[in-house]
Amino acid sequence: MADSKVESRNVATTPSAPRVLRVAVPTPLRRLFDYRPKGPPPSGGWQPGLRVKVPFGQRQLVGIVMACDDHSELPANQLKPIGSRLDDEPLPADWLWLCRFTARYYLHSLGDTLHHALPAPLRQGRPLEARTRERWRLATSLEQALAGLERAPRQRSLVELLAQHSHGLVTSAITVQGFTRAQLQGLLGKGLIACQQEPLTAGDNWRGPLLAEPALPLNREQAAALAAIHESLDRYHPCLLHGVTGSGKTEVYLQLIEGVLAQGRQALVLVPEIGLTPQTLARFRKRFRAPVVALHSGLTDLERLDAWEAARSGRAPIVIGTRSAIFTPLARPGVIIVDEEHDGSFKQQDGLRYHARDLAIARAHREAIPILLGSATPSLESLAQARSGRYRHLRLTQRASRHAPAKLELVDLRGRPRQGGLIAPVIDAIRQALKAEGQVLVFINRRGFAPSLACHQCGWIAECRHCDSRMTLHRQPPRLVCHHCEHQTPQPDACPACGSADLRPLGAGTERSEETLATLFPDTPVYRIDRDSTRRKEAFDQLLTEVRRGEPGLLVGTQMLAKGHHLPHVTLVVVVNADAGLYASDFRALEQSAQLLVQVAGRAGRAERSGRVLVQTLHPDDPNLRLLADSGYDALAYQLLEERRLAGLPPYRHLALARFEAVREADAQELSQAAGEALRQWLDKRQLAVHCLGPVPAPMERRQNRYHLQLMLSSDKRSALHETGAWLIGWLENSASRRVRWSLDIDPMTLS
Ligand code: ADP
Ligand code: ZN
Ligand code: ZN
């Protein structure tokens, strides 16, 4: 990009002593700050990517030098010196580029973006080097060592212990046996043992064959897909691996990574939040002898730093992580893989609102490497790119196992009594499946007992005091909970409006289905899997281990269960209600609910037995649902694309959403209206082809006692949209009061 050229010129003309350092500082302000260098220059001279401590207001902050210059806008006497320099070696140039690109694309402060992209210890100023540990080994023969230790029994035992380990032992392995550091130091002082520092993370001494188990022979489609990517491993080459669930996409990833590793390069694999399971990791670790480094939310800050450092130094050949792993630097990038590329968790919904898949594309382009986006249900964005030929479209239409993915069978709910959300014919089908020794997955996208509680006398419905939403009834333990703000109240005994005791739960959630199924099938275990039943991570793993043993059983769960998990014994999938996305106001709702339905359906018939998928609906004649059931996801997706084109929606038009929220409705209204007016005037003058809609109330206007309004910008031209967004932000920075919180979301995933 243009900027990096400017920097390198600056570096060239001012090799070691620039007069001014332009520093990105972690503040929301969208600008750099000038400082004077102080102290000895780093060995490679001052250059972008060096971390410095700088005085900022009353505080000292860790910032990053972004450019070196000889001139500042500031008068010389106002130019403060930096506090100190933290690194001798700059952060990688590609990493800086990615952060700069992200900040510019999402119109976010660069200082904040860099801060977000760095592991916490580096943000806090910790030195940029791998943490090490000490490895101890015998420095002489055992006899020689023992000879001098007659009167030191503990040191003798320690020497004997070390003698059993020719590769030596790390400190923790020694102290855990009851030895002390003083004993180690004593032996070291006598020259009987030696101590060596080694990097803490895996990857340090991995050599030899790549694979721990042989790769599977690929079927024809898999082989063709792999060959297509292998053809161009040394250039930017975006591919969409579009393969039905169970078609062996993961096997293609594994063999692609094998090829990349064989060239001595690294692979970065991004997976959805829900997809980074012990199961996924185990699959990678089983295949490769090479270390697989995982970046997930369960790591401590130091572990995260170690993983980051292992990737940056090139010691980690394979890095797997969720959204934020896109900011992991690689010493020798070879490929980026985004699994389940359509998944919503790749988009960050607050603060820096980036989309990891989109950044992955930009990054692969910059680093000139192939990128593989995999999905059974590609996003309309990626599908449009594939159709236009900008991405290579690789298809896997066959399942690796014998069975084709099950078709969706629509079941008419209208006018039929339900038990725990299920109608009689569906309950019969469950009975059949259990009798045939199968497992049944009941998918219901609502946790709790019932989505609401109503009075049968007067029609009162329990609503949240803080939001425009209903309270969900929970039974374990009994209470009403708002799923939008977590506000809780005890379950009332009588109607607060009319005093009647006839309060009834409306609809069914996971707890209610679980209760009903346990009553209907008393001899079959029922496992409920949702956020409530699995607050502890071990609880979830335990449940899954239990389920995978394959005994007949009923699984009731939300999308936690529907995605990512391999459930080979499920032969029947029941979708309690498919209607949520059909008539929702959000333009992506239908795409997302079709993806979810297909993913859920994909759980059925994965192993030897073929499966069935029953989808309950109040709208069995809905044309979109019919198309999905009869012709599959692709047919629906292409039709939705056509509709998006006609309606002027993404991916054919680009959107940016400005959100405003305040405690007082009038404050949010006033600012959003003023912003809209100012923007329209500016657009008129600039003659930019950008459309501004609103302000309109957000779909849920009151949430957590705050009022939400939004302005939507849309344009055929990205550059025009960005220019407008940047102008709007400038206007808001100057005009907004503290009472109103605002943000601008580029490429919003939801309009809520
Ligand atoms: P996807 O990622 O597309 O859902 P997976 O990669 O998980 O599919 O593959 C589904 C199942 O098929 C796995 O059990 C996998 O081991 C198996 N499989 C994949 N490719 C092959 C192959 N070429 N030969 C035999 N089995 C395969
Ligand atoms: Zn009432
Ligand atoms: Zn609420």
Side-chain angles (χ1 to χ4, degrees), residues 5 95 114 128 137 152 156-157 211 255 298 315 321 362 379 472 499 504 506 510 544 562 572 592 648 665 736 751:
K5 277 192 209 114
W95 182 86
L114 291 159
L128 182 69
R137 52 169 67 89
R156 275 183 80 94
S157 334
L211 298 186
Q255 299 197 21
R315 276 181 292 115
S379 62
T472 303
R504 300 188 191 176
L506 281 187
T510 45
L544 283 179
L572 172 65
Q592 286 162 352
E665 194 173 9
L751 301 185

Side-chain angles (χ1 to χ4, degrees), residues 309-422:
E309 180 49 34
R312 184 188 76 106
S313 64
R315 276 181 292 115
I318 305 169
V319 179
I320 302 190
T322 49
R323 177 177 68 225
S324 62
I326 188 58
F327 293 111
T328 314
L330 299 176
R332 294 182 303 279
V335 70
I336 302 179
I337 294 168
V338 183
D339 187 29
E340 308 289 358
E341 63 87 30
H342 64 278
D343 194 90
S345 73
F346 287 121
K347 169 86 185 199
Q348 175 140 311
Q349 301 285 13
D350 56 6
L352 174 56
R353 292 174 167 77
Y354 66 96
H355 200 301
R357 177 200 59 215
D358 297 349
L359 288 182
I361 291 280
R363 179 172 175 178
H365 187 258
R366 152 86 183 185
E367 296 177 359
I369 54 174
I371 175 164
L372 186 59
L373 309 178
S375 177
T377 52
S379 62
L380 297 190
E381 274 78 5
S382 299
L383 216 46
Q385 297 282 14
R387 204 154 62 153
S388 73
R390 277 188 296 270
Y391 295 174
R392 182 140 184 187
H393 200 167
L394 306 169
R395 310 190 76 136
L396 306 179
T397 58
Q398 307 294 318
R399 268 196 169 183
S401 70
R402 275 177 292 122
H403 303 287
K407 283 220 154 190
L408 308 182
E409 300 172 44
L410 301 184
V411 181
D412 192 351
L413 274 177
R414 284 173 302 181
R416 294 199 159 142
R418 298 176 220 173
Q419 256 182 304
L422 302 166

Side-chain angles (χ1 to χ4, degrees), residues 454-460 494-500 502-503:
C455 171
H456 210 61
Q457 285 298 316
C458 74
W460 170 87
C495 171
C498 74
S500 157
D502 192 4
L503 294 178

Side-chain angles (χ1 to χ4, degrees), residues 464 466-467 482 485:
C464 178
H466 309 290
C467 309
C482 170
C485 73

Side-chain angles (χ1 to χ4, degrees), residues 216-219 222 243-251 283 400-401 566 606:
L216 296 175
L218 297 180
N219 67 30
Q222 286 173 313
V244 297
T245 50
S247 58
K249 292 184 290 297
T250 312
E251 187 60 35
R283 200 154 162 204
S401 70
H566 196 50
R606 283 210 147 208

